[in-house]
Structures are given as C-alpha cells and as structure tokens.
Amino acid sequence: MNQKLLSYPIADGLADAQLASLRGLCALSAALSSEHEVVEILRLARAAVPSLGSCRTLASYRRVDGEFEQYPQVRPAQPGLDAQVNAQDGAGSVTLVDEKWGWAFALGSLSGAVGSLIVASDGAPRPDEIFLLEVLAQVTGAALANAATHEHLSVHATELAEINQHLVGTVLRLERQTRVFEVLSGAAAYGQGEQGIADAIAQLTDVPVAVEDPFGNLRAWSGPGRPEPYPKTAPEQRDQLLHRLATHNAPLRVHDRVIMLVKPRAEVLGILALIAPDDQVTETQLFALVFGSTMLALELAHQRNLAEIELRLRRDLVDDLASGTDNDSAYARAEALGHDLRGPHYVVLVHSAGRADAIAEAASRAVAALNLQSIQGRHGGMLVLITDRRPDPARLHHALREGTDARPVTIGISGRCEQPSDFVRSFADAHRALHIRRRSRVPDGATAFDELGFYRLVDLAHAEGQVEDFVREWLGTLLDYDDARNSDLVSTLAQYLECGGNYDHSAAALHIHRSTLRYRLGRIRELTGFDLRNMNIRFNLQAATRAWQFLSVVPNP
C-alpha cells in the first residue's frame, strides 16, 4: 500500500513531464509549420531533442535527389554515418563512435522520408521518450515537406515573374519593331523613294540619317545638321570601307556614324548611316538601321530595274521610229513611257565627244528648263530627243552646254513630223542638219533643218536625182583626182569658198599654211581650168561643194 502510495507521485510526475513535452511539441509544431527555412526547421528540431528526454542530437539529414545529405554539415562527422543512414533509408539503429545507443528517426511526410534526425544516448530511452521523438520526427518531416513546397512555389513564382518580365520586354520589343516595319513599309509602299525612307528612319531613330551612293555622293539626307558641302572620302578609302562593311555584314561604327551596307544581292548600291556621335545606340535604332537598309536596297534595286526597263523601252521605240513603225504601236509604247506621241513632234540629234551619261543628264535638264516634253534615247551613237515642240536651236544649245564640259556639242533638229510613221524622214532631216553643222566652220552649235534654206533645195533636187549630175559636172575632175591621189582638193575648195575667198581665214580653218593653200588652189585651176575670180563660176562651185557636203551625209535608206 505504501509502495502503491509512493508510486503515484512518480507516475504523476512522469505524466506531467510527458504532458509538458507534448505541449512543447504542439508549440514546436506550430512554430515549425510557419517556418519556411530548412536550416531553421532542423535547428529547432535538434534543439528540441534534449527537452524530450535523455537523448541528444548528433546530426540532421535532408534528402536531396534520393540521397540523404547531412544538413547542415557538422565537423567532425561520425565516420560511416552517411552510409548507414542511406542504407537504412533514414530510419533505424545506427552505430556511433563513443556512443552506447544511437538511432536515426526518419523525418516523414506523405511522400516518404524527407530527412533524418540522428540522436544518441547513454542508454536506451524509455518508450515514452521514443514516442515523443517519433512525434518530433513526424512534425519536423511535415514542416520540411511544407518548406519544400513553399520553396518550390517561391522558385516557380520567381521563374514566372522572370518569364513575365521577359515577355513584357519581348512584347515591347516586338511592338517597337512592328512600328519600324509599318513606318518603313509605308514609306516604300507609297512610293516616297529613298528620301521617304530616310525621313522614316530619322523619325524612328531621332537622329539624322544619310543615304550615300557607292562612290560616297549624298543621295538623301533627313534631319538637322546637313554638312555643306557634303564630305566625300578618297576612292581608295571608300573601297576599303565598302570591303569592311561587306566582310562585317552588320552595322559598323565609323567615327560619329553607325553605317550599314545597302546591298540587295552581290552589287553594292550604297550606304545607310545614322549620325549618332554618342557610343550608345539602342536596339530599336539598330533594328531600324538594319531593316531600313533592306527596304532601301529593295527600293534602289526597284528603281534600277525600272530605269533599265524604261531605257530598253525608249531605246527600242527610238530605234523603231528611226527605221519605221506603225502609228498604233508607237502610240501605245510611248504611252507606256508616259509620253503622248500624238500631234506634231520633232527629232533632235545631239553629237558630242563627252560621256554619254553626262550628255544625257545635261539634255534632261535642258528640256526641263525649256519646258519641253520629250522621249530620250540613243541611236547611231548619238543622243536622240523626240520633243513635242520645236526647240529654239540657240536656246537648246546654250541650255545643254551649261550642263556639260564637253566641247563641241553639235545639234541637228528635224522639221515637223505629224505622225510616227513619218519619223524616218524626220531622222534623216535631223541627221543632215547635224552633219552639215559638224562640217561648218562652227561645229559647236545647233542647226534646224527648216533653216537650211539652200540645202533644202539640194535635198529636193537629190530626191529627183538631179544633184549628183550637177556635182559631177562641176567637181568630177577634182573628185576623181582626190580618189586617185588621196588628196583633199574638194575640201580645200569648199572651205575657201565658204570663207569668201579669204586666204588667212581659209588657211586657219584648214590648219594649213598660206603657201600650201596657194599651191592647192593653183592645182585646182590647172585641173579644172576654172577661173576662181569669176563670180558665176564661184557661185556654181560653192553650190556644188555644198551639194557634195550634203550628199556625203545623206543616210543610207
């Protein structure tokens, strides 16, 4: 009885201790459930072990990718402990150095063990202590599982935030690029040409923009600060720059500019440049530069193709008008070139030793200055203008000469042509007028066929077959002599008569000495028996030499 009475206080004390431990576990469970840091959860669990009985904590483990790893690492660690814990899947008796009893409590969760708590004691703990340690292990395992879930959700949320941020940046970038695409495509679609594209790029980049041809000449500029005159590098430096750009195949900074090659295929058509002195160029500006160079390449290639097509159409039409074509076909083809061929027209032939492209550009400016509508082409090595009005010879020659350094510039203008089928005759008229002008004392000038006067009479007589007989009657002896001796007596006589019998002027025009001229005239008198002082003879000889000059330039039918 006394023994029984004595046992109650012991039992009551144990119960109180167990109850206090359970209450402590409940409080610990609440603390662990709100904790999301693994290291702190394991620290709390390790610290709680001594309060549950006679055991102490030696190590704690966390399961990572199926393996139990000591966390946090404790040095020095029990030798062979890691292997024992992994072999036993984190639960069961373990052998510890210098410890009489050791046990691994699995930190469990619904998905299995997520860790392990290693405790040691000087002897086997009571069952109630084991029970409390198991409860601690379950509570800790649940807290670790909850922390892992929270960590996963946090990582997932961070990843989602990063993805969303990336998507926002991508959307903004795509919106900016879409605007670049729309603005530049609109400029190209509405036919604004290279200047329109340069204006669009300047609007998109907020910096001045320059478009240069392959030689460094400025084709278009948009924005403030255009240099006057525009600087142009030496040909050798330009070639080196084009080579660098072709090799780099991307935007390249050169001094205060970021430049891109305009190159639709293998041929370089020019350079597109952003005038940006600062080192920083935004991604949007670079995209506008790259896409702008593509649009500019398409535009310049399109312009070149159109120019080549128009040039071919004009050349074919001019050739056919010169050789003869029907009216309806000529009207339709001229209309395709934007020219109304109906109504009176005139043929203008231009001969010059200058560059063909320079003469063509000068002629375009000249007809524009004279307010003439024209079709321009080339035929027989000469520039051809088919105009809707008869140009004033002197004004046309002056306007054309202002646009070129070539000397001399000889122009022949036909008479009025009423319909395309009559252009064969008009070409012949312009051809005669030009060549008569070229053989005159002042070849640098313009002559209209309807102003030839005497030569028109010669042309009419030639059409009736009478001019050749007249020329042979007066010049036959000299012509035969020139053919046999390869001399220039007929030319000498013609120039002498054109100069009114003046020795000095004649010798200067023929580029010979006075004595040579006197010898040749004496030889002419001996061969022909003509007295050059006789006015009637001189009149007939001058008519014959002019007719001979005319016949020498009549085109072959």
Side-chain angles (χ1 to χ4, degrees):
M1 186 68 174
N2 290 334
Q3 291 179 347
K4 189 179 293 184
L5 291 173
L6 290 173
S7 65
Y8 283 126
I10 297 174
D12 291 341
L14 180 59
D16 291 340
Q18 291 176 343
L19 182 58
S21 297
L22 287 174
R23 288 173 178 169
L25 283 175
C26 290
L28 179 62
S29 176
L32 291 175
S33 63
S34 62
E35 181 59 56
H36 302 307
E37 295 292 334
V38 173
V39 65
E40 183 62 18
I41 292 172
L42 292 176
R43 187 191 67 78
L44 292 173
R46 291 197 305 272
V49 169
S51 65
L52 300 179
S54 60
C55 295
R56 56 187 175 277
T57 307
L58 289 187
S60 57
Y61 283 79
R62 185 184 184 189
R63 197 168 199 172
V64 180
D65 297 330
E67 295 291 326
F68 287 89
E69 297 178 356
Q70 195 170 157
Y71 188 85
Q73 290 287 339
V74 178
R75 292 291 183 264
Q78 284 279 344
L81 183 59
D82 293 349
Q84 294 183 69
V85 173
N86 277 285
Q88 299 174 177
D89 201 26
S93 176
V94 293
T95 302
L96 301 172
V97 178
D98 298 329
E99 299 291 348
K100 294 182 179 179
W101 182 87
W103 199 270
F105 287 91
L107 307 180
S109 69
L110 294 177
S111 60
V114 294
S116 182
L117 195 63
I118 312 302
V119 301
S121 178
D122 294 336
R126 298 191 308 272
D128 59 302
E129 293 179 0
I130 298 295
F131 171 75
L132 292 174
L133 289 171
E134 289 176 345
V135 172
L136 173 63
Q138 292 299 317
V139 169
T140 305
L144 287 176
N146 181 54
T149 302
H150 184 272
E151 181 181 11
H152 176 73
L153 291 175
S154 178
V155 170
H156 186 62
T158 301
E159 291 176 350
L160 284 177
E162 292 176 353
I163 291 173
N164 286 334
Q165 185 177 4
H166 178 71
L167 287 175
V168 169
T170 300
V171 169
L172 290 176
R173 184 169 62 256
L174 289 176
E175 287 177 348
R176 289 191 292 264
Q177 292 179 356
T178 300
R179 181 170 179 268
V180 170
F181 175 80
E182 291 175 347
V183 172
L184 289 175
S185 298
Y190 287 104
Q192 299 176 15
E194 55 201 279
Q195 183 61 56
I197 293 176
D199 291 340
I201 297 173
Q203 172 191 343
L204 292 166
T205 59
D206 292 325
V207 297
V209 173
V211 179
E212 299 175 359
D213 67 11
F215 309 104
N217 301 304
L218 184 65
R219 295 180 63 102
W221 177 281
S222 183
R226 173 176 173 171
E228 293 291 350
Y230 192 79
K232 185 177 178 180
T233 57
E236 299 80 8
Q237 295 177 336
R238 188 70 177 183
D239 291 341
Q240 293 175 2
L241 176 61
L242 294 179
H243 179 72
R244 284 181 61 195
L245 286 170
T247 304
H248 190 63
N249 197 29
L252 181 67
R253 173 169 284 281
V254 178
H255 303 306
D256 63 342
R257 307 192 305 167
V258 180
I259 56 180
M260 186 76 183
L261 203 61
V262 179
K263 181 182 176 187
R265 299 183 187 87
E267 184 180 11
V268 175
L269 298 183
I271 282 178
L272 176 63
L274 300 182
I275 314 304
D278 296 334
D279 291 336
Q280 296 299 323
V281 178
T282 66
E283 181 182 359
T284 301
Q285 288 175 322
L286 287 177
F287 180 79
L289 176 65
V290 173
F291 188 69
S293 69
T294 300
M295 298 302 296
L296 191 59
L298 295 175
E299 174 66 22
L300 295 181
H302 178 63
Q303 289 181 12
R304 172 165 292 190
N305 290 337
L306 288 180
E308 291 175 351
I309 292 172
E310 182 179 351
L311 179 62
R312 185 169 61 252
L313 290 175
R314 286 193 280 111
R315 183 177 62 244
D316 293 345
L317 177 58
V318 168
D319 287 343
D320 287 349
L321 290 174
S323 59
T325 186
D326 64 284
N327 292 336
D328 292 339
S329 172
Y331 290 144
R333 292 158 67 186
E335 184 177 344
L337 292 171
H339 186 87
D340 183 6
L341 201 56
R342 291 173 174 81
H345 278 76
Y346 297 80
V347 174
V348 179
L349 298 180
V350 181
H351 180 276
S352 176
R355 292 193 350 258
D357 57 343
I359 297 297
E361 291 177 4
S364 298
R365 290 191 293 269
V367 296
L370 298 176
N371 198 26
L372 296 171
Q373 300 296 321
S374 69
I375 297 175
Q376 185 182 122
R378 296 193 68 82
H379 181 74
M382 289 182 288
L383 178 71
V384 178
L385 298 172
I386 297 176
T387 63
D388 62 338
R389 291 185 292 107
R390 179 187 180 279
D392 178 84
R395 291 183 63 196
L396 176 62
H397 181 262
H398 176 74
L400 204 151
R401 275 279 302 270
E402 282 190 337
T404 177
D405 295 331
R407 301 290 186 275
V409 175
T410 308
I411 302 174
I413 304 172
S414 76
R416 180 182 175 117
C417 178
E418 297 294 342
Q419 56 186 359
S421 57
D422 296 334
F423 270 105
V424 175
R425 178 70 179 182
S426 295
F427 269 89
D429 291 348
H431 202 267
R432 292 186 184 100
L434 183 141
H435 278 274
I436 289 172
R437 184 76 194 199
R438 288 187 64 194
R439 288 176 173 269
S440 70
R441 287 178 296 171
V442 187
D444 188 27
T447 297
F449 181 77
D450 55 13
E451 295 177 349
L452 289 176
F454 168 78
Y455 291 105
R456 296 182 66 184
L457 296 177
V458 174
D459 184 55
L460 180 62
H462 170 66
E464 296 176 358
Q466 298 174 2
V467 174
E468 288 83 354
D469 294 339
F470 180 79
V471 171
R472 290 297 307 176
E473 177 183 348
W474 286 93
L475 301 178
T477 300
L478 297 179
L479 290 171
D480 293 341
Y481 184 87
D482 284 346
D483 288 340
R485 304 295 181 87
N486 194 26
S487 58
D488 294 315
L489 294 184
V490 176
S491 297
T492 300
L493 177 61
Q495 192 64 56
Y496 172 74
L497 295 172
E498 291 295 329
C499 291
N502 185 294
Y503 271 66
D504 292 332
H505 292 167
S506 301
L510 291 169
H511 303 289
I512 59 177
H513 196 269
R514 278 174 56 93
S515 61
T516 303
L517 175 62
R518 186 176 293 106
Y519 168 78
R520 289 183 183 181
L521 293 175
R523 191 70 180 133
I524 290 171
R525 294 188 187 94
E526 292 175 4
L527 292 171
T528 63
F530 293 143
D531 182 2
L532 298 182
R533 293 171 298 181
N534 186 294
M535 293 296 297
N536 290 329
I537 291 176
R538 288 177 62 170
F539 174 81
N540 287 320
L541 284 175
Q542 187 167 12
T545 55
R546 287 192 175 185
W548 167 74
Q549 290 176 319
F550 180 85
L551 291 176
S552 68
V553 299
V554 173
N556 294 325

